[in-house]
Amino acid sequence: MSGLQIPNPRERALVRAADIATAPFSWFRTRSAPAGAIRRVLLLRLERIGDLLMVLDAISEARAAWPDAEIDLAVGSWNLQIAKLVGGVTNVHVLDVPWLARGDAADGWPALIRKARAWRSRSYDLAINFEPDIRSNFLMWQSGARARHGYWTGGGRAFLTDAIAYEPEKHVSVNARTLVARAADMQAAGAALKRGSAPAGRRLVLPPDAKGRAIELVGQGRRPLVGVHASGGRESKQWHLDRFADVARELARQRNATIVLTGSESDRPLVDKVAARLGGVSTLNLCGELDLVDLAAVLASLDVFVTGDTGPMHLASAVSTPVVALFGPADPRRYGPTSPRQRVIRVDLPCSPCGMVRLPPERCRGHVPDCMDGIQVGAVVKAALDLLDETVPVRQTAVD
């Protein structure tokens, strides 16, 4: 029961107690691989947008391992639009768990259990939970899948037929791919993955109408198109707004770039402050005007995207847009962009990365924390210019 990777001592104690209480369920676990061909696979990724996007490689590899199977994906409603764009997925299930809802309407436990049990009608041969969490392991167990793969380090080992430890020093995408590779090997389907024949890179299939809207929105801007996402999503990851504006102005000055500002409706006060400092700069302010699908299409049209550690950072990587990512409390080794064309900017402090994104230390609250304050405009501009030097000629040729 030791080794649970749960920082909060009280929560860790509760999960340890739950593991002890549910240990008898392990007597009923299926210990052998399902016989015959794998017909239906269930994948669970109930967390937020960036979490889903970081497992796209693993989903691609699941499709490579079981090319003839129906592969269903369970997500929160906040990710439904993006989940429908994931290549290789047959059906998308929606499950809004209360611990991830962030103000969205959440399902209560009776509704969650009803929905999970309804999955039994699909007769899943195999299920994989990409989250180290006792609660989602329990919901996967309710699906009735014959083989259930996941991480025991968040609790719920008894609900799994095969449990491995989540490796916190490795990237989320690497942990997810390890789960798929292990499941595939146990199901005698791992040879394709071992040969390296799984699709490279993460894939979102953008609909033509979204691509058309993106062309209409950014077509009036001159190249290069530089995206700037000023909102950090959380106070602990927020960079100075005036520095975002300074980066934009400098890139416009040096490359005659058009600046494309992005953000949700709730980000508008922040983005408007950046926009107000860009007088005389060719700017397209798209804050609050894009749903996730249109945002993905706009990001795909950019030449470089400057952002903090955000969901849009992962979305830009998923559509192969070069990314300059500003990191503070979170560890880029675990959560950084995985696009081959990216630059991570951070400062090396004894306390960073602390991992305390949701509840930062008291001394880091109410202002830009030291790990973000230490990031300088010049470093961000240089990273963006380096990526533009690598990509703009290629992108301009493709557009022409």
Side-chain angles (χ1 to χ4, degrees), residues 114-134:
R114 283 196 303 272
K115 289 183 177 182
R117 287 182 174 175
W119 295 340
R120 297 179 183 184
S121 64
R122 296 284 290 152
S123 299
Y124 289 112
D125 301 298
L126 171 68
I128 299 174
N129 181 15
F130 291 125
E131 298 156 24
D133 193 300
I134 186 174

Side-chain angles (χ1 to χ4, degrees), residues 363-374:
R363 64 184 178 80
C364 297
R365 301 177 194 175
H367 59 91
V368 174
D370 292 345
C371 56
M372 296 299 296
D373 179 64

Side-chain angles (χ1 to χ4, degrees), residues 165-247:
Y166 188 93
E167 299 187 60
E169 74 280 2
K170 294 183 178 179
H171 198 277
V172 171
S173 64
V174 174
N175 277 285
R177 295 173 69 186
T178 299
L179 262 187
V180 172
R182 181 177 174 90
D185 187 55
M186 292 182 69
Q187 310 302 327
L193 299 185
K194 290 178 179 178
R195 288 195 305 267
S197 60
R202 300 170 293 167
R203 296 291 180 265
L204 293 180
V205 182
L206 298 177
D209 57 340
K211 293 180 181 179
R213 286 192 294 272
I215 292 173
E216 291 178 4
L217 287 168
V218 302
Q220 56 189 300
R222 59 176 177 256
R223 294 276 181 177
L225 295 171
V226 175
V228 174
H229 191 84
S231 173
R234 293 181 182 272
E235 184 183 51
S236 62
K237 298 190 290 184
Q238 183 62 56
W239 198 40
H240 298 280
L241 297 178
D242 59 339
R243 295 189 194 177
F244 272 117
D246 289 344
V247 168

